[in-house]
Amino acid sequence: MAQLNPAAAFRALHQGRTPGDPLILPGPWDAASARVFEEAGFPALATPSAGVAASLGYEDGSTPADEMFAAVTRIVRSVSVPVSADIEGGYGLDPKELVDRLLETGAVGCNLEDSAQGALKDPARHAGWLAEVRAEAGDRLFINARVDTYIRGLPELDAAIARARAYVAAGADGVYPFAAPAEHLPEIAKAVPVPVNMAVLPDAPGPRRLGELGAGRITFGPGLQIRATNALRDIARQVREL
């Protein structure tokens, strides 16, 4: 039997999920954390741009493209499981260069945001750009289209659904309504025929409950990196007290 290509294998992990059993993708911020998550038995990983930025000494959204792609490359080569990369809004690269550079890292998927400099992009224009990315990538990348309406001053359910549908029509494999309230999740999941990514955020439901509400995929943003940093602070205090 022919083996699936890496992106197809990653795509298959999203299929056939039952309510309450979403695909859980921890977010490594460097090679060491990626190995820890792989050793724990997770079948795939998804880098968080904010966590990677922190590990490189940048504020979220300020990482130069070259450094982000280099970081993703190090993470990918450190593990044997598929890795999807959060590459923010695409760093202003044209679709061909963006896809080429992403594939060079070895990643099998990506998050692409529909906002920039704190403002939402025009949805039709962004959908057209996503369609170009899909055409360049073919089946070699799982494209997860992030919907930023909830964090950019447009928290209405209808607006999120309209953008999600447009991005699916453009070829997105999944949609990611970032920071959507849990009560909106069932309607969003009904509205699109692709997996809905939800992040586990402070004061939000956990992975199982999000899965029951319709999420097919769970990520953590920079949450795991923040928890690790807090744990390291505790260790540092203990060391000072030795």
Side-chain angles (χ1 to χ4, degrees):
M1 179 185 298
Q3 290 188 333
L4 295 175
N5 68 48
F10 180 63
R11 194 172 283 109
L13 291 173
H14 296 75
Q15 305 305 316
R17 315 298 307 193
T18 58
D21 181 35
L23 176 62
I24 297 177
L25 301 175
W29 53 94
D30 59 14
S33 59
R35 290 192 185 106
V36 168
F37 293 135
E38 181 183 33
E39 290 167 2
F42 291 99
L45 308 174
T47 69
S49 62
V52 173
S55 76
L56 297 174
Y58 292 102
E59 295 295 322
D60 184 21
S62 299
T63 309
D66 288 349
E67 293 198 44
M68 183 62 76
F69 286 120
V72 172
T73 299
R74 290 191 293 271
I75 289 169
V76 170
R77 75 183 181 210
S78 72
V79 295
S80 60
V81 296
V83 176
S84 181
D86 183 345
I87 51 172
E88 303 176 289
Y91 306 111
L93 301 174
D94 67 68
K96 184 179 190 312
E97 183 177 2
L98 180 65
V99 169
D100 287 347
R101 296 195 67 178
L102 190 55
L103 290 174
E104 285 173 1
T105 70
V108 298
C110 62
N111 282 359
L112 290 169
E113 303 169 4
D114 68 348
S115 66
Q117 287 80 53
L120 287 166
K121 298 177 182 178
D122 176 78
R125 184 174 299 175
H126 185 63
W129 180 76
L130 286 175
E132 292 181 43
V133 174
R134 167 54 71 207
E136 291 290 343
D139 65 353
R140 297 175 294 172
L141 291 173
F142 184 107
I143 297 174
N144 196 39
R146 202 174 96 171
V147 178
D148 283 353
T149 51
Y150 291 99
I151 61 170
R152 302 301 182 205
L154 190 64
E156 290 84 9
L157 175 60
D158 289 347
I161 287 176
R163 285 177 179 256
R165 283 176 167 164
Y167 303 158
V168 171
D173 298 286
V175 294
Y176 181 12
F178 187 69
E183 59 267 25
H184 286 191
L185 178 53
E187 293 302 318
I188 295 171
K190 286 180 190 176
V192 293
V194 298
V196 176
N197 188 142
M198 288 289 283
V200 176
L201 301 173
D203 302 321
R208 183 175 296 278
R209 180 57 181 154
L210 289 172
E212 291 170 348
L213 291 171
R217 161 173 161 159
I218 301 294
T219 52
F220 298 85
L224 302 180
Q225 184 269 332
I226 291 170
R227 290 173 63 181
T229 298
N230 289 337
L232 187 57
R233 286 195 181 98
D234 290 339
I235 293 170
R237 284 193 291 268
Q238 293 168 16
V239 169
R240 284 185 61 86
E241 295 169 359
L242 291 177

